[in-house]
């Protein structure tokens, strides 16, 4: 499959969850673009987005990989102001531990950049920290070992460390592939790159799909995952709160279930927002849930309607 020839910053689940977390709005709306910008590919090559992050001040950071990236670098990060104007572009040095396929980006209050992506042959994932100029501070590779394949679905950072959320599955050579054992997981590293812990949901023979991970700045981490156990009921989406030490504090079963979504937390007041695909035709509906960080209860729901072109 050919990749798109341009990076288009438009409405997406990631952007929507972050916009809602900034505004606090959770009401039915028709999706409209605030702004759009395009990065044209270099001649004869391809470019793609490897992660996007928006700060509380409205600055948007985008990781770009592909032909526009210098040959001795892994990616470039472009930052845009709230009106879509380009602020800066920095190049990221390539880590030496065998991974480069980026999928997540987060920026801390000091301007440090954290990126994560799949590792060599996709068995594990990589995580790296850069300063605001793109200089590599540290890089780490993680794998569950054995036949486990670790997948990145979210990234967040607080004052105690950086958290990689995702799911993992155990390759078994099964036919059909849904016979594989899968689970959701969150892996924490210290800000110095030291491994801290890994939290995992109970494994199911079926499917696990994470919506990502979010931190409230107070030491609490939130994780959303859909699990489908072939031996049990239909798919169920869980919202979980995890302590900074890696133990589960509570788990809430969501009233709706989806396979594609994004979790976000507004750090000014700790409010949680979960955005996910709800319906595709004749219009794409993205449902946004506001949840109580004390217990995960759903306190408000809004649908963003994006007409199909």
């Amino acid at each position: 499959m050919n990749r798109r020839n341009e990076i288009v910053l438009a409405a997406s689940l990631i952007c929507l969850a972050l916009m809602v977390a900034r505004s606090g709005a959770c009401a039915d709306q028709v999706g409209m673009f605030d702004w759009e910008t395009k990065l044209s590919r270099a001649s004869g090559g391809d470019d793609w987005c490897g992660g996007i992050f928006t700060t509380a001040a409205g600055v948007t950071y985008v990781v770009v990989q592909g032909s526009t990236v210098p040959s001795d670098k892994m990616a470039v990060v472009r930052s845009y102001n709230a009106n879509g104007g380009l602020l800066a572009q920095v190049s990221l040095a390539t880590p030496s531990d065998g991974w480069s396929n980026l999928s997540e980006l987060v920026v801390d209050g000091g301007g440090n950049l954290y990126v994560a992506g799949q590792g060599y042959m996709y068995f594990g994932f990589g995580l790296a920290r850069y300063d605001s100029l793109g200089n590599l501070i540290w890089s780490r590779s993680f794998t569950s070992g054995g036949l486990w394949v670790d997948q990145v679905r979210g990234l967040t950072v607080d004052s105690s460390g950086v958290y990689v959320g995702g799911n993992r599955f155990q390759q078994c050579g099964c036919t059909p592939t849904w016979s594989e054992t899968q689970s959701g997981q969150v892996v924490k590293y210290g800000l110095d790159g030291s491994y801290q812990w890994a939290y995992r949901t109970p494994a199911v023979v079926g499917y696990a799909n994470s919506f990502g991970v979010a931190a409230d700045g107070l030491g609490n981490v939130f994780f959303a995952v859909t699990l489908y156990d072939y031996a049990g009921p239909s798919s169920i989406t869980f919202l979980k709160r995890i302590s900074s030490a890696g133990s589960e504090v509570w788990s809430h079963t969501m009233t709706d279930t989806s396979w594609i979504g994004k979790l976000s937390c507004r750090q000014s007041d700790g409010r949680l927002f979960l955005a996910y695909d709800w319906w595709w035709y004749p219009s794409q509906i993205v449902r946004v849930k506001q949840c109580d960080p004390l217990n995960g209860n759903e306190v408000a729901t809004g649908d963003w309607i994006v007409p199909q072109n």
Side-chain angles (χ1 to χ4, degrees), residues 111-248:
N112 296 295
L113 309 169
Y114 302 82
V115 294
Q118 298 306 136
Y120 177 69
M121 294 297 292
Y122 295 91
F123 272 89
F125 65 77
L127 171 67
R129 176 182 177 181
Y130 297 83
D131 65 19
S132 60
L133 300 178
N135 298 309
L136 180 64
I137 299 176
W138 51 258
S139 175
R140 299 291 182 268
S141 293
F142 175 87
T143 178
S144 294
L147 295 177
W148 285 103
V149 177
D150 303 281
Q151 297 179 314
V152 177
R153 293 290 185 270
L155 185 65
T156 191
V157 64
D158 64 15
S159 60
S160 69
V162 56
Y163 307 83
V164 182
N167 39 272
R168 62 182 195 143
F169 63 91
Q170 192 170 37
Q171 290 187 329
C172 62
C174 307
T175 303
T177 56
W178 47 255
S179 300
E180 295 169 336
T181 300
Q182 304 194 18
S183 68
Q185 74 173 357
V186 178
V187 180
K188 179 180 181 180
Y189 283 85
L191 296 179
D192 60 355
S194 59
Y195 172 80
Q196 301 294 305
W197 48 257
Y199 164 85
R200 297 184 175 105
T201 65
V204 298
V205 178
Y207 292 103
N209 197 55
S210 167
F211 290 5
V213 61
D216 63 2
L218 302 175
N220 299 307
V221 182
F222 303 94
F223 180 57
V225 61
T226 294
L227 301 176
Y228 181 36
D229 190 341
Y230 259 70
S234 60
S235 58
I236 302 174
T237 299
F238 297 95
L239 176 61
K240 298 175 180 288
R241 175 179 161 188
I242 307 168
S243 72
S244 59
S247 59
E248 183 176 300

